[in-house]
């Protein structure tokens, strides 16, 4: 589904990603963990085409490749955004739109769906994340946890093959974070939901609970890849993260 091969990314003189490689299968729940500054969020942004990288390749599906040192064509980026959704730390909702309009925007503008059809789907997705009653609320009228749940519904609305979660609870208090993680838990446990999920998080108990595979990133390289049970075993790679 997603294959990252020897990706190198510089921010100025800093080599933030130093030959990172990993693979994520269809339907898999993969977590990327590691110390602050290890390149986790940067890697997600490279996968979703939000940042260019200097070396290596990222393959998404069978027909899309991003190559280091080359700007991706607009058509490739549009294809990428249609197949890979992203949930950011800071929600990034359109402040002038209602929750319903935020969720329907992707299907209307990226997929060309009729507005009536897109809004019907958006209503179902807001129900799924527990916000059906707040469809007409604008972001400023919602709590942080509610905004993040709208953002998850928005990512789901284009029926992506994969969803990337970049520290989805880091800006939330514990109660709101629990609300958001419940939604992600429910998606992970839904056998009918076939999208791959990639979660960057410092919430290690949540990662241990929901991830199939854990990738430990350290100094821009993937230092470990393996089953969550092995990663979290006493004395294992998560416990020994620097």
């Amino acid at each position: 589904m997603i294959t990252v091969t020897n990706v190198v990314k510089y921010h100025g003189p800093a080599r933030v990603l130093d030959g990172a490689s990993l693979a994520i299968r269809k339907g898999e729940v993969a977590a990327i963990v590691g110390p602050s500054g290890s390149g986790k969020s940067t890697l997600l942004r490279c996968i979703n085409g939000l940042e260019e990288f200097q070396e290596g390749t990222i393959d998404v599906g069978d027909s899309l490749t991003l190559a280091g040192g080359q700007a991706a064509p607009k058509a490739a980026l549009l294809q990428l955004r249609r197949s890979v959704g992203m949930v950011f730390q800071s929600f990034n909702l359109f402040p002038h739109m209602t929750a319903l309009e935020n969720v329907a925007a992707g299907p209307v503008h990226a997929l060309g769906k009729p507005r009536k059809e897109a809004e019907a789907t958006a209503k179902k997705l807001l129900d799924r994340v527990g916000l059906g009653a707040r469809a007409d609320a604008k972001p400023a009228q919602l709590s942080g946890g509610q905004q993040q749940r709208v953002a998850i519904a928005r990512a789901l609305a284009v029926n992506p093959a994969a969803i990337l979660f970049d520290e989805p609870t880091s800006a939330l208090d514990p109660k709101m974070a629990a609300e958001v993680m419940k939604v992600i838990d429910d998606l992970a446990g839904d056998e009918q939901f076939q999208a791959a999920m990639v979660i960057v998080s410092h919430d290690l108990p949540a990662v241990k609970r929901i991830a199939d595979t854990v990738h430990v990133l350290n100094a821009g390289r993937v230092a470990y890849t393996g089953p969550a049970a092995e990663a979290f075993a006493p004395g294992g790679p998560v416990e020994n993260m620097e």
Side-chain angles (χ1 to χ4, degrees), residues 104-119 121 157-159:
V108 170
H109 298 293
L111 303 183
K113 299 283 188 182
R115 184 168 297 276
K116 187 174 181 180
E117 178 184 336
E119 290 185 348
T121 299
V158 294
N159 194 28

Side-chain angles (χ1 to χ4, degrees), residues 6-28:
N6 297 324
V7 166
V8 173
K9 164 70 179 177
Y10 286 92
H11 280 158
R15 192 174 170 106
V16 181
L17 295 175
D18 186 22
S21 296
L22 57 80
I24 296 152
R25 303 182 302 273
K26 178 181 178 181
E28 181 180 21

Side-chain angles (χ1 to χ4, degrees), residues 169-193:
T169 61
S170 65
L172 305 175
D173 66 33
K175 181 179 178 182
M176 293 180 185
E179 294 173 357
V180 171
M181 286 310 305
K182 183 179 184 307
V183 173
I184 298 174
D185 283 358
D186 289 345
L187 290 172
D190 184 351
E191 294 182 359
Q192 302 302 314
F193 184 69

Side-chain angles (χ1 to χ4, degrees), residues 2 12 59 67 105 119 127 168 181 196 211 234 240:
I2 298 172
D59 295 287
E119 290 185 348
D127 283 337
M181 286 310 305
N240 292 324

Side-chain angles (χ1 to χ4, degrees), residues 48 80-87 155-156 158 160-165:
N48 205 36
L80 181 64
R81 304 284 158 68
R82 286 171 172 168
S83 59
V84 180
M86 188 151 179
V87 177
L156 293 170
V158 294
I163 301 180
L164 313 179
F165 295 87

Side-chain angles (χ1 to χ4, degrees), residues 120-206:
T121 299
K123 288 178 181 177
K124 292 178 182 177
L125 290 171
L126 287 172
D127 283 337
R128 180 167 191 170
V129 300
L131 290 173
R134 304 307 308 276
D136 294 328
K138 291 186 176 179
Q141 299 170 305
L142 300 172
S143 70
Q146 289 172 332
Q147 290 185 60
Q148 192 63 296
R149 284 187 278 156
V150 173
I152 293 172
R154 180 180 59 183
L156 293 170
V158 294
N159 194 28
I163 301 180
L164 313 179
F165 295 87
D166 184 12
E167 295 282 7
T169 61
S170 65
L172 305 175
D173 66 33
K175 181 179 178 182
M176 293 180 185
E179 294 173 357
V180 171
M181 286 310 305
K182 183 179 184 307
V183 173
I184 298 174
D185 283 358
D186 289 345
L187 290 172
D190 184 351
E191 294 182 359
Q192 302 302 314
F193 184 69
Q194 292 299 308
M197 294 198 293
V198 187
I199 303 170
V200 164
S201 181
H202 288 287
D203 186 347
L204 297 182

